[in-house]
Amino acid sequence: QRRVRGVAGVIWGLGLLAAGQSSTMTGTYSGQFVMEGFLLLRWPRWLRVLVTRLIAIGPTLTLAIISGSNFSGWNEMLNVLQSLQLPFALIPIITFTGSYKIMGEFAMSRVSCLLIWIMAGVVMCINGYFVTTYLQMLPQSLLLYIVICLLLLLYLSLIGYLLFTAYTYNSHQLIRPQEMVELHNLAAR
């Protein structure tokens, strides 16, 4: 009976590892393709792949290397990192799913878009609160605060750029809903 428990634990652990790898790679690939299209990156393919995957996996990999085999205290830090990365996925996805140019008749209505943007803003503000709560628990060091302020400035600049891109993308759409219906009717003839 103990032998079965040990084998079951190993199988469960391998399944958990496989599920985590699958989820991570799916998220990384989808994030890479969304960000490439959203930011209109015109870099060589190898550089786009390298940068987008480093942004997605780099922070977690860095923490794993720094901590060695002592992972017990890093759970909170990983949650903070994930909450910081959330806007980079939400902003392009909401922009694309609300775009008639991309989604056609399946695009979200303006009311749905507004509600989703409000909910995303609330979630990002809550995550911001948790990040500031976590930062208050860090050791008091002037150098650490300077680094955090510089990283915060860079982070807010990138979020601002994404929001500006989302705004200009949605305000300059080429095809409006009525035009989409007319094009569909024309194609059906």
Side-chain angles (χ1 to χ4, degrees):
Q1 192 172 4
R2 286 185 182 183
R3 179 184 254 174
V4 171
R5 284 185 195 163
V7 170
V10 169
I11 292 172
W12 179 82
L14 288 173
L16 188 61
L17 179 64
Q21 287 298 313
S22 173
S23 174
T24 300
M25 291 312 293
T26 301
T28 302
Y29 284 135
S30 63
Q32 172 189 335
F33 295 131
V34 166
M35 290 305 286
E36 283 177 18
F38 189 70
L39 297 177
L40 301 174
L41 297 176
R42 301 288 183 242
W43 299 345
R45 181 162 175 73
W46 68 270
L47 185 59
R48 283 190 316 241
V49 169
L50 178 68
V51 169
T52 54
R53 293 205 183 133
L54 279 177
I55 289 172
I57 297 174
T60 305
L61 187 61
T62 302
L63 285 177
I65 291 170
I66 289 172
S67 67
S69 60
N70 182 16
F71 290 109
S72 60
W74 292 100
N75 188 36
E76 240 178 285
M77 175 61 100
L78 290 174
N79 289 334
V80 167
L81 286 173
Q82 287 175 343
S83 68
L84 288 173
Q85 292 175 344
L86 185 64
F88 295 103
L90 278 181
I91 293 170
I93 287 172
I94 295 170
T95 301
F96 288 155
T97 56
S99 168
Y100 289 100
K101 184 169 71 173
I102 293 174
M103 299 298 292
E105 63 183 280
F106 302 107
M108 290 189 295
S109 68
R110 291 188 189 269
V111 173
S112 295
C113 272
L114 179 64
L115 291 174
I116 295 294
W117 275 111
I118 290 170
M119 286 189 290
V122 168
V123 167
M124 287 185 250
C125 287
I126 291 169
N127 283 341
Y129 171 76
F130 288 132
V131 169
T132 56
T133 302
Y134 178 79
L135 291 177
Q136 290 173 359
M137 296 185 308
L138 292 177
Q140 306 249 336
S141 163
L142 180 62
L143 180 62
L144 180 63
Y145 285 135
I146 290 172
V147 169
I148 288 173
C149 286
L150 291 174
L151 289 174
L152 180 64
L153 183 64
L154 176 65
Y155 177 76
L156 292 176
S157 299
L158 291 172
I159 298 299
Y161 174 74
L162 282 177
L163 289 170
F164 175 75
T165 305
Y167 173 76
T168 57
Y169 185 86
N170 278 332
S171 63
H172 294 99
Q173 289 185 14
L174 300 176
I175 301 176
R176 299 288 177 206
Q178 185 57 37
E179 294 170 339
M180 185 65 79
V181 171
E182 292 171 9
L183 285 174
H184 186 273
N185 292 338
L186 184 64
R189 291 183 199 174

